[in-house]
């Protein structure tokens, strides 16, 4: 995933801490306290850096450690609003910036999937359509704040999803295994140790706290799968696709977990 990869990873140095302000969170296992949308987190410093970044998990903010904006933060900060800081600009600019950020974040997530799809040789029959959709989606992210606020994101996501589904079918057709269809399945807490899930469709599956120790997930479609607290110890995810860093960060794994090249091994797995 070399093309566009730099723009599709969060760069906090070029952002005004938007995820720490625009987004709400509720007191839970992921966050130590409540915070409404549009209100700065109490840990956000004046320089837009997190005051407890090195201690987030210890302080009860695990949710922050698994989040990634896919580069939307710097896009909104530096492109949509031309480098204008919400702290010093007009109040109306700040409100619009907070409204637009979640929209651009969704578009950047779609760009991630489209970019990955273009690296998959088996999806070559739809590469031309994928490339056109990627260019169209990228153009949308560069719209004005007003255009972005008015964008029908669900409708655009559905158009993209048609191509991603076709990509999934093409890629999984060339894989071994039984190619099980577990799309949207409730597999919370499921005991899948050593399971053969090669080429499986796990799109949107609920795998919260599931045991996938030593499971074979080579060539599986993991788009939208909920991997919170999923045990991936020694699992093989080689060639698994549409797996994002936030999904992986929410799971548990080990040094023996084999991963696709598009993601990196979370630090907390070996800490």
């Amino acid at each position: 995933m070399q093309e566009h990869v730099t723009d599709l990873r969060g760069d906090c140095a070029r952002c005004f801490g938007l995820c720490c302000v625009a987004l709400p969170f509720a007191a839970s296992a992921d966050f130590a306290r409540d915070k409404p949308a549009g209100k700065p987190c109490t840990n956000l410093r004046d320089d837009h850096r997190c005051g407890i970044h090195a201690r987030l998990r210890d302080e009860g903010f695990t949710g922050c450690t698994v989040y990634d904006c896919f580069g939307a933060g710097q896009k909104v900060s530096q492109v949509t609003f031309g480098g204008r800081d919400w702290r010093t600009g007009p109040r109306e600019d700040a409100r619009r910036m907070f409204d637009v950020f979640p929209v651009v974040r969704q578009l950047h997530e779609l760009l991630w999937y489209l970019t990955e799809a273009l690296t998959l040789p088996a999806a070559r029959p739809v590469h031309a359509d994928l490339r056109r959709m990627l260019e169209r989606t990228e153009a949308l992210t560069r719209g004005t704040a007003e255009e972005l606020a008015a964008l029908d994101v669900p409708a655009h996501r559905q158009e993209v999803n048609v191509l991603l589904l076709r990509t999934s079918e093409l890629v999984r057709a060339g894989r071994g295994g039984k190619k099980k269809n577990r799309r949207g399945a409730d597999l919370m807490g499921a005991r899948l140790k050593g399971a053969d899930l090669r080429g499986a469709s796990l799109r949107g599956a609920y795998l919260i706290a599931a045991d996938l120790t030593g499971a074979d997930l080579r060539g599986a479609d993991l788009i939208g799968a909920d991997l919170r607290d999923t045990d991936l110890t020694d699992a093989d995810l080689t060639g698994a696709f549409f797996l994002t860093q936030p999904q992986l960060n929410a799971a548990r794994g080990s040094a023996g977990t084999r991963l696709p090249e598009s993601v990196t091994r979370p630090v907390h797995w070996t800490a």
Side-chain angles (χ1 to χ4, degrees):
M1 291 180 64
Q2 297 302 313
E3 184 181 6
H4 297 292
V5 72
T6 300
D7 292 332
L8 298 179
R9 293 188 188 277
D11 183 354
C12 297
R14 299 170 55 208
C15 177
F16 298 131
L18 294 185
C19 63
C20 305
V21 187
L23 305 179
F25 51 72
S28 62
D30 294 322
F31 298 101
R33 62 179 69 94
D34 295 328
K35 187 193 82 65
K39 180 179 180 180
C41 174
T42 55
N43 297 311
L44 185 66
R45 303 186 317 204
D46 290 343
D47 63 356
H48 302 298
R49 299 295 177 266
C50 176
I52 61 168
H53 187 267
R55 310 189 311 277
L56 282 167
R57 286 182 172 271
D58 294 336
E59 297 283 346
F61 289 88
T62 301
C64 297
T65 69
V66 306
Y67 180 81
D68 192 304
C69 71
F70 296 99
Q74 63 259 31
K75 175 68 72 64
V76 173
S77 297
Q78 304 301 329
V79 178
T80 313
F81 286 87
R84 298 195 300 276
D85 189 335
W86 59 267
R87 287 187 188 273
T88 57
R91 184 182 296 256
E92 179 61 20
D93 271 5
R95 186 191 63 77
R96 289 191 303 156
M97 187 177 289
F98 302 153
D99 288 343
V100 162
F101 172 66
V103 174
V104 178
R105 198 269 183 187
Q106 291 183 71
L107 292 175
H108 269 232
E109 183 178 7
L110 294 177
L111 286 175
W112 175 276
Y113 295 136
L114 290 165
T115 300
E116 180 174 6
L118 284 167
T119 69
L120 303 173
R124 190 167 288 110
V126 291
H127 274 187
D129 290 334
L130 287 166
R131 191 168 291 106
R132 282 191 290 270
M133 185 60 75
L134 184 146
E135 292 171 354
R136 179 180 164 195
T137 304
E138 171 63 27
L140 289 175
T141 70
R142 296 182 178 279
T144 65
E146 292 75 20
E147 290 169 340
L148 287 163
L151 182 64
D152 187 343
V153 178
H156 184 69
R157 181 180 289 275
Q158 182 55 40
E159 289 187 62
V160 173
N161 195 46
V162 171
L163 289 175
L164 298 182
L165 277 169
R166 180 57 180 150
T167 297
S168 179
E169 293 168 355
L170 290 167
V171 174
R172 293 187 299 110
R175 300 290 181 175
K178 299 178 181 179
K179 302 181 183 65
K180 298 174 181 177
N181 184 2
R182 299 292 183 87
R183 182 178 181 181
D186 184 352
L187 298 171
M188 293 178 62
R191 298 177 180 177
L192 296 168
K193 184 176 181 178
D196 181 1
L197 294 168
R198 285 175 294 165
S201 175
L202 292 165
R203 298 173 64 90
Y206 295 93
L207 287 159
I208 301 170
D211 182 5
L212 286 168
T213 303
D216 191 343
L217 291 153
R218 286 177 292 173
D221 180 351
L222 292 168
I223 194 169
D226 194 333
L227 301 181
R228 284 177 292 170
D229 205 32
T230 304
D231 193 347
L232 296 173
T233 299
D234 296 334
D236 190 350
L237 286 85
T238 306
F241 58 102
F242 297 151
L243 172 67
T244 66
Q245 195 64 48
Q247 284 175 293
L248 203 61
N249 290 345
R252 292 181 288 128
S254 67
T257 305
R258 281 164 283 184
L259 301 173
E261 295 180 357
S262 58
V263 292
T264 58
R265 193 176 309 277
V267 174
H268 66 272
W269 282 14
T270 53

